[in-house]
Amino acid sequence: MLLGWAFVLLTAWLSLERFDPLFWKAMVPVTLELAIGCGLLLRRRWGWLLGVATAVLFIVNGLHSIIFVRGEYVVIDALIHRLVPATVILVALLPGRARRAFLGE
């Protein structure tokens, strides 16, 4: 699930015609998500630790944007770019039984 999400984002961003600083700023979270997904597939502890740290940083960054940044679409941007990926990462980190219960399988 996490690798699929990251590959969708990677494909969307690679379809852009220019690679400006905005592109590279967006690629850091995608790279982290790919690394976490690979670490979890290989059942490595660093994948789980990186996932927890990344999710916490995404949540803090998203809440910071919602609370302190003024703008027209700040809440939607924070939800889409920080809080939803943090939720996807945290669901991917859940043990199998809890993940199936959360996803309703």
Side-chain angles (χ1 to χ4, degrees):
M1 181 172 78
L2 186 62
L3 287 175
W5 172 264
F7 278 117
V8 166
L9 289 175
L10 184 65
T11 304
W13 280 100
L14 287 177
S15 67
L16 295 174
E17 293 181 5
R18 57 178 195 251
F19 300 113
D20 55 358
L22 179 64
F23 170 81
W24 296 111
K25 182 180 176 186
M27 282 298 103
V28 170
V30 173
T31 305
L32 283 173
E33 291 168 4
L34 286 172
I36 293 165
C38 291
L40 292 176
L41 278 177
L42 298 174
R43 298 183 188 267
R44 302 287 185 214
R45 182 169 291 162
W46 60 262
W48 193 85
L49 292 172
L50 184 63
V52 169
T54 302
V56 168
L57 289 175
F58 280 8
I59 291 169
V60 168
N61 190 344
L63 291 176
H64 175 268
S65 295
I66 290 171
I67 294 170
F68 296 112
V69 177
R70 304 237 182 242
E72 215 173 307
Y73 299 107
V74 171
V75 174
I76 294 171
D77 186 58
L79 283 173
I80 292 172
H81 294 289
R82 294 294 177 242
L83 298 178
V84 169
T87 305
V88 170
I89 291 170
L90 289 176
V91 168
L93 294 176
L94 288 173
R97 180 180 287 174
R99 186 178 327 118
R100 285 188 294 277
F102 183 81
L103 295 175
E105 294 176 356

